[in-house]
Amino acid sequence: MPKPISQDDGYEVWSEKKEECGLFGIFGDPQAVEKTYIGLHALQHRGQESAGIASSNGESIQCYKGMGTVMRVFRSGSDTLDKLANPIAIGHVRYSTSGSSNVENGQPLLAEYSRGQVAVAHNGNLINAGLLRDEYEAYGSIFKSTSDTEIIVHLLAKPTHQSKPDPLGHVLNHLQGAYSLVFLFADHIEAARDPYGIHPLCIGQTRDGCFLVASESCAVDAVGAKFLREVEPGEIVRLDKNGLHSRFFVRKGEITPAYCTFEHVYFSKQNSRIFGENVHEFRKKLGHQLAKEHPVEADVVIPIPDSGTSAAIGYAEQSGIPFDMGLVRSHYIGRTFIAPEQKLREMEVGLKLAIVKEVVAGKRIVVVDDSIVRGTTTRGKIRALREAGAKEIHMRVSCPPIRFPCYYGVDFPRKKSCWPTTASSTRSGSSLRSIASGISRSRACSRARHRRKTTTARRAGPASIRFPSASC
């Protein structure tokens, strides 16, 4: 019988390293490396800490990765992309939840085992990585990084696993947690998604017929390819010289999908199509529902950009209140939510969002945000809006309260860091408690969850997803 996650079971529920990352892979294209570079640019919102590309000529794999954004790592004028030029390539962008990050934890992770080279790119978090790592280290395995992704290579290299009819499928059945994975072998690519389908992964095809995989469809669009479909939960797709092939490492439909709500609410780009629905349209629906459930008399609706913009448009459409940009975002500042340190996040908020005083001064304003995690952005902006002369401030949030950490690859490291906890138990939430009566959240996410099988583990707690036991 499946059993819930428990700290008593030894799971890394407070894992030091968790990622929300972007993946890209393409097979058989003469410009595979260049298109991977462009695809990673389109996925830059999923992580700015490190970037990397691995490529193959069909016989051997080479890899280059570094710290920083895609443009910084593969900076213009360098010959890095030319040196990597091959017809098969995968790429990765990453952020971690710890300030102590290094290039060893960057991806793709390149290794060599009995069947040759393999490069791995991972989006998600393996909750049983600590247990597996302890076991393998006890038998003499040596790890080069602190990333949970490295355990996958050790599982793949184990001789008893290699003897299985489908070694990769057998290995994936040992993993517990969230994972979208792209593997580059010398002559093919394999991509897989965990049985719950927690994070997105899709398939595209170029005009020349080359197949590719990416975390979001925005990367497919960026390289001029056609979106075909999503990789299904529990599915492995193989890209090789004979085209696209599919198989499942679990029985199809054996586990009910549990898509990550936060992907639609915050992380994914507005023009992406994930979990069967366009992100922008989904967020607008949340805004529509929010206006129905929590109407208010006001002069203007303003978003906290960028991820709150679509919901604010929906709120304005439904309520009939004019929409305007009272906050302007600097696109030279990354996402403050994924800055590794809290003090750094607070400093970046002031640089990231500037107030248009003429829009808010003397007016009753509705401020729409996608979510409140730590409250860093919200506290600072409410204070600044008051100082800019806003007559009334009505806060509307499209996502339900985030009360628990996420164990599956989004950075909510501690329960005490989540705003519902800080607002009720510490002085740090005082500026929000004072307008608590004006903070309204839509039930639309809950309705969408029942309709579309999304997961609310960060609302309901870690036991809301169950994993079967597996032995190595």
Side-chain angles (χ1 to χ4, degrees):
M1 290 290 291
K3 61 180 181 178
I5 301 168
S6 168
Q7 284 179 305
D8 294 334
D9 293 332
Y11 291 114
E12 276 196 315
V13 295
W14 304 120
S15 174
E16 182 185 14
K17 296 287 183 181
K18 296 187 288 189
E19 297 91 33
E20 178 67 40
C21 307
L23 313 176
F24 190 91
I26 183 169
F27 181 90
D29 192 309
Q31 295 181 313
V33 172
E34 289 82 357
K35 289 181 178 177
T36 300
Y37 172 80
I38 294 170
L40 293 181
H41 257 296
L43 297 170
Q44 189 74 85
H45 59 285
R46 298 186 70 87
Q48 298 98 43
E49 187 178 278
S50 68
I53 294 175
S55 68
S56 174
N57 59 7
E59 296 180 355
S60 63
I61 300 173
Q62 52 186 335
C63 181
Y64 184 85
K65 57 188 177 182
M67 303 302 293
T69 62
V70 176
M71 185 172 288
R72 183 181 180 88
V73 174
F74 302 98
R75 54 187 177 275
S76 178
S78 71
D79 59 353
T80 305
L81 293 179
D82 292 336
K83 291 179 179 179
L84 287 171
N86 280 310
I88 316 171
I90 68 170
H92 186 272
V93 290
R94 173 185 183 263
Y95 92 89
S96 78
T97 64
S98 171
S100 58
S101 57
N102 52 59
V103 72
E104 284 76 19
N105 286 325
Q107 295 182 30
L109 176 65
L110 179 61
E112 188 165 358
Y113 67 118
S114 61
R115 294 198 177 185
Q117 292 177 295
V118 61
V120 186
H122 174 210
N123 172 31
N125 188 52
L126 304 179
I127 63 169
N128 65 334
L131 288 174
L132 293 171
R133 183 174 180 134
D134 289 346
E135 179 179 339
Y136 274 71
E137 285 182 331
Y139 283 96
S141 295
I142 298 173
F143 289 78
K144 296 181 179 179
S145 73
T146 59
S147 170
D148 57 358
T149 308
E150 192 173 358
I151 189 62
I152 300 172
V153 176
H154 287 269
L155 286 165
L156 197 60
K158 189 174 182 179
T160 55
H161 293 174
Q162 285 300 313
S163 64
K164 301 295 181 182
D166 182 3
L168 180 57
H170 181 77
V171 165
L172 296 179
N173 273 304
H174 287 78
L175 305 181
Q176 297 183 0
Y179 53 90
S180 290
L181 293 161
V182 179
F183 297 85
L184 172 61
F185 297 92
D187 60 352
H188 69 280
I189 290 173
E190 300 215 43
R193 197 170 167 202
D194 69 76
Y196 286 99
I198 295 173
H199 296 300
L201 190 63
C202 68
I203 305 169
Q205 188 174 25
T206 67
R207 294 186 180 92
D208 297 326
C210 300
F211 290 101
L212 60 94
V213 291
S215 288
E216 297 180 34
S217 63
C218 64
V220 177
D221 297 336
V223 299
K226 178 183 178 181
F227 172 82
L228 297 181
R229 66 175 178 88
E230 295 183 62
V231 176
E232 294 187 39
E235 183 183 17
I236 300 173
V237 293
R238 177 183 170 118
L239 316 182
D240 61 26
K241 63 182 181 181
N242 296 316
L244 176 71
H245 316 274
S246 170
R247 68 188 189 276
F248 285 82
F249 61 93
V250 293
R251 293 178 183 174
K252 193 174 181 180
E254 187 177 66
I255 299 178
T256 303
Y259 307 133
C260 175
T261 300
F262 216 58
E263 287 281 359
H264 255 148
V265 169
Y266 176 82
F267 254 114
S268 298
K269 193 175 283 187
Q270 289 93 327
N271 65 319
S272 289
R273 180 178 178 82
I274 64 168
F275 310 148
E277 191 167 2
N278 171 260
V279 173
H280 173 66
E281 291 299 321
F282 179 87
R283 292 175 184 171
K284 279 179 61 178
K285 290 178 183 178
L286 296 184
H288 289 160
Q289 189 64 31
L290 194 56
K292 291 177 182 177
E293 295 176 6
H294 302 285
V296 67
E297 292 185 5
D299 302 310
V300 65
V301 176
I302 68 171
I304 293 185
D306 282 327
S307 51
T309 303
S310 299
I313 292 171
Y315 192 98
E317 287 179 352
Q318 183 65 38
S319 65
I321 302 171
F323 172 91
D324 208 339
M325 295 300 292
L327 293 165
V328 179
R329 178 179 182 267
S330 170
H331 291 274
Y332 298 97
I333 299 293
R335 304 185 92 158
T336 54
F337 168 73
I338 60 179
E341 300 293 343
Q342 177 68 10
K343 288 184 179 180
L344 180 60
R345 280 190 288 269
E346 292 173 355
M347 293 175 63
E348 286 184 351
V349 167
L351 294 172
K352 177 183 175 182
L353 296 173
I355 294 175
V356 183
K357 294 182 180 179
E358 290 77 6
V359 173
V360 304
K363 296 180 182 178
R364 302 168 298 173
I365 62 174
V366 178
V367 182
V368 180
D369 202 357
D370 61 282
S371 58
I372 299 180
V373 181
R374 300 180 180 91
T376 303
T377 301
T378 309
R379 276 194 297 269
K381 289 304 109 182
I382 292 300
R383 186 184 306 113
L385 287 167
R386 283 175 173 160
E387 294 172 353
K391 185 178 179 180
E392 295 178 8
I393 301 173
H394 301 274
M395 192 76 199
R396 296 294 183 267
V397 184
S398 63
C399 182
I402 297 167
R403 301 184 183 277
F404 295 91
C406 174
Y407 306 103
Y408 309 116
V410 182
D411 175 19
F412 308 146
R414 303 173 186 87
K415 181 179 178 180
K416 66 180 182 181
S417 297
C418 298
W419 176 75
T421 300
T422 61
S424 61
S425 63
T426 70
R427 293 184 62 186
S428 66
S430 59
S431 60
L432 287 178
R433 286 203 305 276
S434 65
I435 59 163
S437 61
I439 297 181
S440 304
R441 298 175 178 83
S442 173
R443 291 192 294 270
C445 273
S446 296
R447 291 172 181 173
R449 174 172 59 90
H450 290 298
R451 185 177 73 254
R452 297 174 45 258
K453 301 176 181 177
T454 56
T455 179
T456 52
R458 60 191 60 87
R459 291 181 57 215
S464 60
I465 295 181
R466 295 170 177 267
F467 294 94
S469 299
S471 173
C472 290

